[in-house]
């Protein structure tokens, strides 16, 4: 008994595909999203509660797949990482529940990587209000996370 599950972000939509090496009649896809899910195509929303939803899918033939498209209802920020994809997915069938394999981690879809402009300041948080380069090197000789303000610095060559 082999199931496959894939989902990726395509603009404002989440394109999903479930495959099986055995026939599944009247599968109901149960999952969670970050916010209220909606169905664009390929299935019928049966119920939803906050980020949880159940979507009735067409029958999956043995060796076949079913494709459907979801969306985040009312989202005003771009979706572009794994956390925005359907999580904890399983199928409820006429014979019981079947867990779907987890999704591949990381960014999925057509969202290009964010380009960040070169930063001319120091890579520190918070940013210092004033600094002057002194040349040379500094060597950190002691550090404890709970007492970081007591670090000892020694001037190196």
């Amino acid at each position: 008994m082999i199931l496959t599950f894939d989902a990726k972000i395509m603009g404002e939509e989440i394109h999903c595909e479930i495959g099986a090496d055995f026939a599944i009649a009247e599968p109901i896809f149960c999952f969670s999203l970050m916010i209220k899910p909606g169905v664009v195509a390929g299935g019928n929303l049966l119920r939803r509660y906050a980020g949880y939803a159940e979507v009735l899918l067409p029958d999956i033939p043995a060796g076949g797949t079913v494709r459907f498209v979801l969306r985040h209802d009312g989202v005003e920020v771009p979706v572009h990482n794994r956390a925005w994809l359907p999580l904890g997915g399983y199928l409820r069938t006429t014979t019981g529940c079947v867990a779907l394999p987890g999704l591949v981690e990381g960014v999925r879809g057509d969202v290009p990587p964010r380009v960040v402009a070169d930063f001319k300041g120091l890579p520190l948080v918070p940013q210092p209000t004033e600094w002057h380069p002194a040349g040379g090197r500094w060597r950190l000789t002691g550090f404890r996370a709970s007492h970081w303000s007591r670090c000892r610095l020694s001037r190196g060559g």
Side-chain angles (χ1 to χ4, degrees), residues 30-33 35 37 47-54 90 92:
C30 305
F31 64 99
S32 294
L33 285 183
I35 61 171
R47 70 186 72 159
R48 68 179 169 196
Y49 181 76
Y52 172 79
E54 297 178 357
Y90 64 94
R92 197 168 67 236

Side-chain angles (χ1 to χ4, degrees), residues 8-85:
K8 65 181 181 174
I9 297 164
M10 302 290 288
E12 298 297 319
E13 301 174 338
I14 302 168
H15 291 243
C16 303
E17 181 178 285
I18 297 174
D21 66 348
F22 58 99
I24 304 175
E26 302 175 22
I28 298 172
F29 178 52
C30 305
F31 64 99
S32 294
L33 285 183
M34 293 285 274
I35 61 171
K36 183 172 63 173
V39 177
V40 175
N44 295 313
L45 183 65
L46 295 178
R47 70 186 72 159
R48 68 179 169 196
Y49 181 76
Y52 172 79
E54 297 178 357
V55 176
L56 176 63
L57 300 174
D59 293 350
I60 304 174
T65 61
V66 63
R67 292 180 180 89
F68 53 100
V69 181
L70 305 172
R71 71 172 181 272
H72 292 86
D73 278 351
V75 73
E76 295 183 16
V77 296
V79 295
H80 54 267
N81 68 41
R82 172 180 191 278
W84 287 86
L85 293 172

